[in-house]
Amino acid sequence: MSRTLLSLVVPFYNEEDAIPAFFAEVVPALEAIDKVDELDFEIVCVNDGSKDRTLALLVEAADADARVRVIDLSRNFGKEAALSAGLTESRGDIVVPFDADLQDPPEVIAQLVSKWREGFDVVLAKRSDRSSDTYLKRQSAVSFYRLHNKLADVKIPENVGDFRLMTREVVDTLNALPESRRFMKGLFAWVGFRTAEVTYVRNSRVAGETKFSGWKLWNFALEGITSFSTVPLRMWTYFGLLVAVTAFLYAAYLVIRTLVRGIDVPGYASIFVSLLFFSGVQMIGIGVIGEYIGRIYHESKRRPLYVIRRRYGK
């Protein structure tokens, strides 16, 4: 019988400082799993248009170890695209997305494999302690998960990132999805399958700095909500109805007051404030609609999610 192949899919973007520690920790952890569970492994490294020596170091690792393969994208397409490229290029019977910064301990992979042996198609790695993250990142994550799960039909598990184990059937289903603007956490949840989870404590970055600024996190959250919920659009319908009813009732009040008390001359301040308020409301509504139209625009062009410049390794 052929041995099971595990694919570790890792996007890299300007991670030259973390690469030596990455291979020093990940390879022994995977070799330890091989001894216990008798499975082979490959490490699929996706260089997402790095501007430092990341590609050169990854190619050196591929030349030194046949189990390492490098997918070099033609430019920086973003983590979601790089992760999608790695999933498509992976060959394993089971696939584990993983970050290069080692905040997710490689030893947890053995727990994922053990849970998979029990018959689950997806095994989530859930963070039980995020004290290594900044306060802003922790609070923004909590707020996003709660808001998203209230608005969207597809619920995303809280404190679960891309780190998980998936069978080949799950990965093939993800690869077959046609959208080019991908919010992977939502897609992972959307495909379903039999799911279990293990908990772990997240570490600090081994080197370098996070690539997600506050502005990028905000746009990422907006992408997630508009990808899996039309509630923001529906909210403006109800808000417009509320404003229309309020305006009608106020107009009726003015008519009755004029008939009873006659005509008076109101001040202009309230009119000016009302105009500014409702102009702002209209602009926000147009912005919400624009977010969805923008997604339609990008999807309609049917451009590929990424472009591969070259592949290294076997």
Side-chain angles (χ1 to χ4, degrees):
M1 295 180 62
S2 59
R3 288 161 57 94
T4 300
L5 176 63
L6 182 152
S7 294
L8 193 72
V9 174
V10 192
F12 287 82
Y13 178 64
N14 294 342
E15 296 285 1
E16 65 173 347
D17 293 334
I19 289 176
F22 172 82
F23 286 107
E25 292 193 28
V26 167
V27 172
L30 294 177
E31 288 176 340
I33 298 173
D34 181 13
K35 293 178 182 179
V36 175
D37 288 279
E38 296 184 349
L39 54 80
D40 297 322
F41 68 87
E42 65 170 1
I43 304 176
V44 182
C45 305
V46 182
N47 177 48
D48 188 23
S50 299
K51 296 177 175 60
D52 59 5
R53 296 185 63 250
T54 294
L55 177 60
L57 294 176
L58 291 177
V59 173
E60 288 180 10
D63 291 339
D65 191 335
R67 298 169 296 187
V68 177
R69 293 194 293 126
V70 180
I71 311 300
D72 183 28
L73 302 187
S74 61
R75 64 171 177 84
N76 177 241
F77 287 89
K79 185 181 178 181
E80 306 297 280
L83 179 56
S84 297
L87 294 178
T88 302
E89 293 290 319
S90 66
R91 303 166 180 167
D93 304 293
I94 53 178
V95 180
V96 177
F98 197 75
D99 287 341
D101 55 20
L102 294 179
Q103 284 193 278
D104 303 322
E107 295 77 18
V108 178
I109 300 173
Q111 301 177 42
L112 302 181
V113 172
S114 178
K115 207 69 177 176
W116 163 71
R117 293 289 189 190
E118 297 178 14
F120 293 98
D121 302 302
V122 178
V123 185
L124 309 177
K126 184 174 182 178
R127 303 156 185 168
S128 61
D129 185 346
R130 299 189 60 167
S131 58
S132 60
D133 292 333
T134 63
Y135 176 80
L136 176 60
K137 190 171 183 179
R138 292 197 304 270
Q139 293 304 310
S140 60
V142 170
S143 300
F144 166 71
Y145 284 123
R146 290 178 180 174
L147 179 60
H148 182 280
N149 291 340
K150 285 183 179 179
L151 296 180
D153 294 330
V154 178
K155 310 302 180 185
I156 298 177
E158 291 192 28
N159 291 318
V160 175
D162 298 327
F163 185 29
R164 65 192 65 210
L165 180 148
M166 299 174 288
T167 62
R168 172 50 52 185
E169 182 182 10
V170 177
V171 173
D172 288 343
T173 302
L174 286 167
N175 291 339
L177 297 178
E179 56 253 65
S180 57
R181 293 290 295 271
R182 294 195 160 200
F183 177 65
M184 295 305 295
K185 290 181 179 62
L187 295 180
F188 288 147
W190 184 86
V191 296
F193 290 91
R194 293 169 296 179
T195 303
E197 65 180 37
V198 299
T199 58
Y200 72 101
V201 177
R202 202 168 196 225
N203 297 328
S204 300
R205 286 182 63 94
V206 67
E209 298 179 353
T210 179
K211 308 304 186 295
F212 280 95
S213 63
W215 178 247
K216 287 185 177 180
L217 287 173
W218 164 256
N219 287 325
F220 186 66
L222 197 60
E223 184 81 15
I225 292 172
T226 54
S227 293
F228 286 89
S229 175
T230 57
V231 170
L233 287 174
R234 196 174 303 124
M235 286 172 58
W236 286 105
T237 301
Y238 292 120
F239 184 77
L241 179 62
L242 176 63
V243 171
V245 170
T246 303
F248 176 79
L249 294 176
Y250 185 62
Y253 163 74
L254 290 178
V255 170
I256 295 173
R257 191 186 68 171
T258 301
L259 291 175
V260 174
R261 301 176 55 184
I263 301 175
D264 59 354
V265 181
Y268 292 101
S270 59
I271 296 176
F272 183 70
V273 171
S274 298
L275 285 174
L276 286 179
F277 172 73
F278 286 110
S279 296
V281 168
Q282 290 172 355
M283 294 300 293
I284 294 173
I286 292 172
V288 172
I289 295 172
E291 285 291 331
Y292 287 91
I293 293 176
R295 294 191 63 82
I296 297 171
Y297 169 69
H298 286 293
E299 292 291 344
S300 66
K301 290 187 288 188
R302 307 310 302 160
R303 289 177 182 170
L305 186 59
Y306 54 85
V307 176
I308 295 177
R309 189 182 72 87
R310 187 174 175 182
R311 297 174 175 84
Y312 299 87
K314 300 179 180 180

